[in-house]
Amino acid sequence: MMKASVKGKYDGDKSTGVGSIAFNAGDLKLRAIMTDATLVAGPTLNGLSLAVEKPGFFIVEYNVPKKDVRFQFMNTVRIAEKPLNLTYIHSRADNRTIVDGSLLIDPSNKLSVNHMVGTNNCKLKYTYAHGKIATFEPCYDFAKNAWDFSVSRRVYGDDVVKATYQTSSKLLGMEWSRTSKSTGSFKVCASVNLAEEVKTPKLTAETTWNLEM
């Protein structure tokens, strides 16, 4: 089966688009990703990347114009009978390695760590889910020595309203999103920097259409 998706994004006075085509080859999934830069001035290789994925195990992605390879490996181990999901990401061109781990304490509580190897960029996040209705996520950024907070609540079935606040930049954000297998998904975001004298809201919107062939 072949799956295609198209994502459009509007950010102020700028619009962008991303498309992907994926199909299964046994246990593997092959995927091609293109941006609007691939087609508008072309066709060209700008914005084109190719990926091979074994879901739950690894992803190898090749960025054609940058000639960059990105490796991602996933694994799950158990600590005190609790599942610990580990992800290792390495980008060859940037020589950047990220290790991400999340420990599911119980259905309502999860602890996550994201660390860039060789730097002090490390984030520790706690997630509390109140049933399937609301989620509260405080996150501590060691590099900025600051807290980030987010609260989300499900409304009207598939709709989710989310509020975020970054204490280091004093950035307040609101997001409304909907995910549907039949009609695709969309997200509308508004943010404002409370530290600025003129508090001008920034609006972004994106939508995704999925198609199975």
Side-chain angles (χ1 to χ4, degrees):
M1 177 180 295
M2 182 180 296
K3 295 183 179 181
S5 68
V6 178
K7 176 184 291 186
K9 183 176 181 180
Y10 174 78
D11 185 354
D13 57 353
K14 180 177 66 176
S15 299
T16 59
V18 177
S20 68
I21 299 176
F23 62 92
N24 298 325
D27 293 336
L28 301 178
K29 180 181 292 185
L30 307 180
R31 184 171 67 249
I33 304 170
M34 299 164 287
T35 68
D36 50 2
T38 311
L39 302 175
V40 171
T44 68
L45 297 180
N46 295 330
L48 175 64
S49 62
L50 307 173
V52 179
E53 175 185 358
K54 186 174 183 180
F57 292 93
F58 68 82
I59 302 173
V60 179
E61 183 174 334
Y62 180 67
N63 188 306
V64 177
K66 295 182 179 180
K67 298 181 180 179
D68 181 25
V69 181
R70 177 178 177 271
F71 302 92
Q72 179 173 326
F73 300 96
M74 297 84 79
N75 194 15
T76 300
V77 298
R78 303 192 75 83
I79 298 180
E81 301 303 319
K82 306 295 184 182
L84 174 62
N85 299 315
L86 298 171
T87 303
Y88 171 91
I89 304 171
H90 178 73
S91 178
R92 190 184 65 177
D94 298 334
N95 194 24
R96 182 175 59 183
T97 301
I98 297 174
V99 178
D100 187 276
S102 62
L103 178 65
L104 185 63
I105 301 172
D106 57 44
S108 299
N109 298 274
K110 183 172 68 173
L111 192 64
S112 305
V113 178
N114 181 278
H115 175 59
M116 184 182 296
V117 178
T119 72
N120 64 345
N121 290 337
C122 183
K123 293 183 179 181
L124 178 64
K125 181 170 67 174
Y126 168 71
T127 302
Y128 171 72
H130 184 68
K132 297 182 179 180
I133 302 299
T135 302
F136 175 65
E137 292 182 318
C139 177
Y140 184 73
D141 191 325
F142 287 88
K144 298 179 181 179
N145 191 27
W147 286 92
D148 297 332
F149 299 93
S150 72
V151 180
S152 60
R153 181 177 178 83
R154 185 175 297 276
V155 294
Y156 304 119
D158 294 329
D159 292 24
V160 175
V161 176
K162 183 177 181 179
T164 61
Y165 181 65
Q166 299 177 6
T167 59
S168 60
S169 59
K170 296 185 179 180
L171 188 66
L172 177 65
M174 291 293 295
E175 175 185 305
W176 173 35
S177 62
R178 175 183 296 173
T179 301
S180 173
K181 293 182 179 180
S182 58
T183 60
S185 61
F186 72 85
K187 181 167 60 177
V188 179
C189 304
S191 62
V192 61
N193 193 326
L194 301 180
E196 296 178 349
E197 293 185 4
V198 180
K199 298 176 177 58
T200 304
K202 179 182 179 181
L203 299 176
T204 62
E206 65 179 52
T207 184
T208 304
W209 299 271
N210 300 315
L211 178 64
E212 293 186 357
M213 295 175 284

